[in-house]
Amino acid sequence: MDKLTIFTEDNALSAVEVLNDTDTIAQRLKALGIGFEQWQTDAPLSAEADESEVIAAYQSSINDLKRQHGFHTVDVAAIHPDHPQAEELRKKFLCEHTHDDFEARYFVDGSGMFYIHAVGHVFMLRCDKGDLVNLPALTPHWFDMGAKPDFKAIRFFRIAEGWVGLPTGSDIAERFPRFETAA
Ligand SMILES: [Fe+2]
């Protein structure tokens, strides 16, 4: 399964590059100001672990990222395929948007697809268990959790209202492969 698929912004039909090596992906995204790294924990976590158990398991990595970027709040968001508002929640993040704060997510479990629109390209990044992605404020992007969403993620915040999605008004997201066809 491909991790980072790069398209030119005007051609969603054929990718110009596909990268699977974590270090290469991290370097490529770093050049765009985007953080991508893997975290590990020695603490065994069950699928039912609650917010405090998840945060405790990754406390040292969380503290490092908080120090680095000035995050002061973290929480844990989880969604399962049988969530009654799954379709509605999916739609909420499917249009290109920006935020006034970072969008930093660590995937404790499950997966999702980020689409980052930068330098005339779309970077389609599959995030799986163990991946941290950190988009700076004002980065145009969208996110597809798929028709059967299934993930648990630690979220990081600097400002309470910063993580409101501000639509760019572009319909670019409609042209690119959805999570279930690309994953
Ligand atoms: Fe977002």
Side-chain angles (χ1 to χ4, degrees):
M1 111 198 27
D2 299 327
K3 288 292 285 180
L4 181 68
T5 309
I6 306 172
F7 302 87
T8 54
E9 63 188 354
D10 54 1
N11 185 355
L13 297 177
S14 58
V16 290
E17 207 171 346
V18 177
L19 301 175
N20 283 292
D21 175 68
T22 303
D23 291 342
T24 312
I25 292 170
Q27 279 169 20
R28 184 63 65 91
L29 293 176
K30 191 179 176 188
L32 304 170
I34 293 158
F36 180 70
E37 58 191 87
Q38 264 82 48
W39 288 359
Q40 276 155 11
T41 176
D42 294 330
L45 267 183
S46 78
E48 289 77 37
D50 67 16
E51 180 164 306
S52 60
E53 290 171 307
V54 169
I55 289 171
Y58 292 98
Q59 196 66 68
S60 109
S61 299
I62 288 171
N63 290 347
D64 286 348
L65 197 71
K66 281 170 97 173
R67 260 194 305 272
Q68 219 178 323
H69 296 294
F71 295 121
H72 61 81
T73 315
V74 297
D75 71 7
V76 176
I79 181 161
H80 298 287
D82 55 358
H83 192 291
Q85 273 105 40
E87 200 181 327
E88 201 181 317
L89 285 168
R90 181 190 192 191
K91 271 195 194 148
K92 208 172 151 187
F93 306 107
L94 268 182
C95 287
E96 187 184 72
H97 62 275
T98 61
H99 304 282
D100 286 339
D101 198 356
F102 286 88
E103 178 162 340
R105 300 285 180 268
Y106 173 73
F107 283 77
V108 177
D109 242 321
S111 48
M113 193 80 86
F114 275 95
Y115 302 75
I116 300 142
H117 187 188
V119 295
H121 289 74
V122 170
F123 298 79
M124 186 171 79
L125 176 67
R126 184 189 163 101
C127 288
D128 298 293
K129 178 178 180 171
D131 291 339
L132 169 89
V133 63
N134 188 10
L135 307 181
L138 308 180
T139 305
H141 67 280
W142 63 98
F143 176 73
D144 191 359
M145 58 180 74
K148 296 187 186 306
D150 191 9
F151 66 86
K152 183 186 275 186
I154 302 174
R155 309 187 298 177
F156 297 79
F157 303 95
R158 290 194 308 183
I159 41 176
E161 69 282 8
W163 198 66
V164 173
L166 308 168
T168 62
S170 166
D171 63 357
I172 186 169
E174 290 169 20
R175 300 195 291 278
F176 282 82
R178 291 295 189 224
F179 179 80
E180 55 268 43
T181 50

